[in-house]
Amino acid sequence: MSTSPKLKLYEEFALIGRALGNAHRLDMLEHLAQGEKGVDALAAKTGLSTANTSQHLQQLKRAGLVDSRRDGKFVLYRLTDDNVLALMAALFGVGERNLASVNKVLRDYFQARDSMEPVTHDELLARTRDGLVTVLDVRPADEYAAEHLPGAVNIPLDELENRLSEIEDAPEVVAYCRGPYCVLSFEAVSALRKRGINARRLKSGLPEWRAAGLPVETG
Amino acid sequence: MSTSPKLKLYEEFALIGRALGNAHRLDMLEHLAQGEKGVDALAAKTGLSTANTSQHLQQLKRAGLVDSRRDGKFVLYRLTDDNVLALMAALFGVGERNLASVNKVLRDYFQARDSMEPVTHDELLARTRDGLVTVLDVRPADEYAAEHLPGAVNIPLDELENRLSEIEDAPEVVAYCRGPYCVLSFEAVSALRKRGINARRLKSGLPEWRAAGLPVETG
DNA sequence: TCATCGATCAATAGATCTGTTGATCGTATG
DNA sequence: CATACGATCAACAGATCTATTGATCGATGA
């Protein structure tokens, strides 16, 4: 006795839901949104074991959220398309609006480091045209190399202290990293402000910028 | 040893993912999108036991997808807001684009019953203005009563056979039901066409129509 | 061909999820 | 107050998920 076709479809969609139903996998999706990565490389970023990472990736693949290709002895994974980013944005949106626990974390941690309104895409575009702003990419060098905002300077967060001289006379700094909840840019903005540098944060990260159809640079 | 704030957030968002990770719960969300319902009523619609339905509802509530209020001895559940519908649409979209198994069901069942392009919202609006079209709501009477498209005629699918006379001389019929995968409108269109009635299907259901900001009637 | 390295597989234990059953709670009504 | 009814709770068994371990596979390069 076959179940109804609708439930059969919902069974498939539920597979996607379950794939989104684990914090580590959401983290992996955020990292993959920066650019394709091998299993080991991703495991290093997320702090999971290789085998565990591989299994999570296969779950994401079965759900159609990521795709893979072989390059030599590496298997490189990437998000299947920008709709996956849109799905994550919808998920995060519902969480921010409807879950008190989410708002508590946002207040206690994120707003404590950056209470100012983040800079929107349009705002940043307008200011860069006037040459008023230094765009700061605080992600690790490999992610910057894969793709970054046009004209952005790369200073990974853990080097920021030692390389302050490179930006300390900029009239305004806008920092960004991997996405809306990436801690790097929050920490960076907080650190820069303490040194009296006029710093703000981009509302979202590189993947959202690209998904909005805005230009990126590589290399 | 606290985990990073980002992972703490992702843990919360994963809760929403898991709530979406069960076919019955997706079905329940579709039903709740028609209007608020008590636990028993919803259980009857979905074919689940009352206790099971109650527990699923609490999971959805913990994830912020539904909300509830007490009315006498009933506890009425409803979707928290239209963003939940948007999230479901994003989920379904990724599934349709990236999962072969979804496309197989769509081809084998749904397209077999309605191979024609569905009518869009704009198209329907234009045609109703000209009075050319009969809008047919094939959902059960209680859902029609809660909310329906302006001027729509209600003939629940299981009564369609006996009430064909009410629509058989309409120049064009557009049928709709609960959502994009609701089988009622597919079956209706298939049945009407067999009788030589010029019938097409609305692209999505009542909840999507309302979420698009278009007018609805009650009663 | 062999050694190496990245990735996957297989097996496992512990945790979580699912649906059933029967008891219990809260509200309205006789 | 007693009863009825809608909803929730508590406990349980069976299924599924998660992370670890060690073995295996596949491609590369000496």
Side-chain angles (χ1 to χ4, degrees):
Chain A
M1 264 314 9
S2 71
T3 56
S4 87
K6 183 181 70 174
L7 275 186
K8 208 169 288 179
L9 276 183
Y10 282 173
E11 205 68 66
E12 302 291 333
F13 295 141
L15 184 70
I16 307 178
R18 282 197 296 275
L20 296 172
N22 177 285
H24 291 305
R25 282 196 291 273
L26 292 177
D27 193 29
M28 293 169 64
L29 289 173
E30 185 192 83
H31 281 288
L32 290 178
Q34 314 305 313
E36 60 179 4
K37 284 186 177 40
V39 178
D40 255 5
L42 185 58
K45 299 257 184 202
T46 56
L48 302 175
S49 73
T50 304
N52 197 8
T53 301
S54 175
Q55 280 161 187
H56 278 305
L57 282 169
Q58 284 166 55
Q59 229 170 314
L60 290 172
K61 191 172 179 178
R62 255 176 277 135
L65 295 174
V66 309
D67 203 355
S68 66
R69 69 184 179 92
R70 183 172 270 277
D71 177 25
K73 45 177 155 181
F74 294 86
V75 176
L76 299 177
Y77 284 82
R78 63 181 174 286
L79 299 194
T80 38
D81 55 37
D82 283 349
N83 298 307
V84 175
L85 273 182
L87 174 56
M88 292 176 69
L91 182 74
F92 297 163
V94 169
E96 285 199 31
R97 267 181 290 267
N98 300 347
L99 290 180
S101 42
V102 166
N103 278 296
K104 178 165 168 39
V105 177
L106 288 178
R107 268 198 317 278
D108 290 356
Y109 181 86
F110 291 97
Q111 286 191 20
R113 275 157 188 77
D114 178 18
S115 56
M116 294 183 68
E117 268 301 294
V119 178
T120 64
H121 292 170
D122 290 342
E123 211 176 333
L124 181 57
L125 276 172
R127 300 217 182 185
T128 44
R129 256 194 287 277
D130 303 338
L132 293 176
V133 84
T134 301
V135 181
L136 177 63
D137 186 325
V138 291
R139 298 174 302 157
D142 61 318
E143 298 177 26
Y144 174 86
E147 222 168 41
H148 54 83
L149 262 62
V153 178
N154 179 227
I155 307 182
L157 181 61
D158 51 8
E159 300 175 22
L160 188 56
E161 194 103 15
N162 298 325
R163 297 172 59 184
L164 272 175
S165 60
E166 300 178 31
I167 48 169
E168 67 191 346
D169 43 356
E172 184 178 1
V173 173
V174 171
Y176 74 90
C177 61
R178 297 182 185 125
Y181 312 114
C182 178
V183 301
L184 304 178
S185 64
F186 284 88
E187 296 290 350
V189 164
S190 176
L192 292 176
R193 287 244 194 79
K194 276 199 194 112
R195 271 127 184 129
I197 297 173
N198 176 22
R200 288 172 74 197
R201 204 176 50 80
L202 187 63
K203 188 178 173 62
S204 49
L206 175 102
E208 291 80 9
W209 176 274
R210 182 175 13 79
L214 297 170
V216 294
E217 284 178 0
T218 61
Chain B
M1 267 297 1
S2 72
T3 55
S4 87
K6 183 180 69 174
L7 275 186
K8 209 169 287 179
L9 276 183
Y10 282 173
E11 205 69 66
E12 302 291 334
F13 295 141
L15 185 70
I16 307 177
R18 282 197 296 275
L20 297 172
N22 176 287
H24 291 305
R25 282 195 292 271
L26 292 177
D27 193 29
M28 292 169 66
L29 290 174
E30 185 193 82
H31 282 287
L32 290 178
Q34 313 306 313
E36 61 179 5
K37 285 185 176 42
V39 178
D40 255 6
L42 186 58
K45 300 256 183 201
T46 56
L48 302 175
S49 75
T50 305
N52 196 8
T53 300
S54 175
Q55 281 161 186
H56 278 306
L57 281 170
Q58 283 167 56
Q59 230 171 312
L60 290 171
K61 192 173 180 178
R62 256 176 277 135
L65 296 174
V66 308
D67 204 354
S68 66
R69 69 187 178 91
R70 182 172 270 277
D71 177 26
K73 46 178 159 181
F74 293 86
V75 176
L76 298 177
Y77 283 84
R78 62 180 175 286
L79 300 193
T80 36
D81 55 35
D82 283 349
N83 297 308
V84 175
L85 273 182
L87 175 55
M88 291 176 70
L91 183 74
F92 297 162
V94 168
E96 284 198 31
R97 269 182 289 268
N98 299 347
L99 289 179
S101 42
V102 167
N103 278 296
K104 178 164 168 40
V105 177
L106 289 178
R107 268 198 317 279
D108 291 356
Y109 182 86
F110 291 97
Q111 287 193 18
R113 273 155 190 78
D114 179 18
S115 55
M116 295 184 68
E117 267 302 294
V119 179
T120 64
H121 291 170
D122 291 342
E123 212 176 333
L124 180 57
L125 275 173
R127 300 217 183 184
T128 44
R129 257 195 288 276
D130 303 340
L132 293 175
V133 86
T134 301
V135 181
L136 177 64
D137 186 324
V138 292
R139 298 175 302 157
D142 62 318
E143 298 178 26
Y144 174 86
E147 223 168 40
H148 54 82
L149 262 62
V153 178
N154 178 228
I155 307 182
L157 181 62
D158 50 9
E159 301 174 21
L160 189 56
E161 194 103 16
N162 298 325
R163 297 172 60 185
L164 272 175
S165 59
E166 300 178 31
I167 49 168
E168 67 192 346
D169 42 356
E172 186 178 0
V173 174
V174 171
Y176 74 90
C177 62
R178 297 181 185 125
Y181 312 114
C182 177
V183 300
L184 305 178
S185 65
F186 284 89
E187 296 291 349
V189 164
S190 178
L192 292 177
R193 287 244 194 80
K194 277 201 191 109
R195 271 127 183 129
I197 298 173
N198 177 21
R200 288 171 73 195
R201 204 175 51 80
L202 187 64
K203 189 178 173 62
S204 49
L206 174 103
E208 292 81 9
W209 176 274
R210 181 175 14 77
L214 297 170
V216 293
E217 284 178 3
T218 60

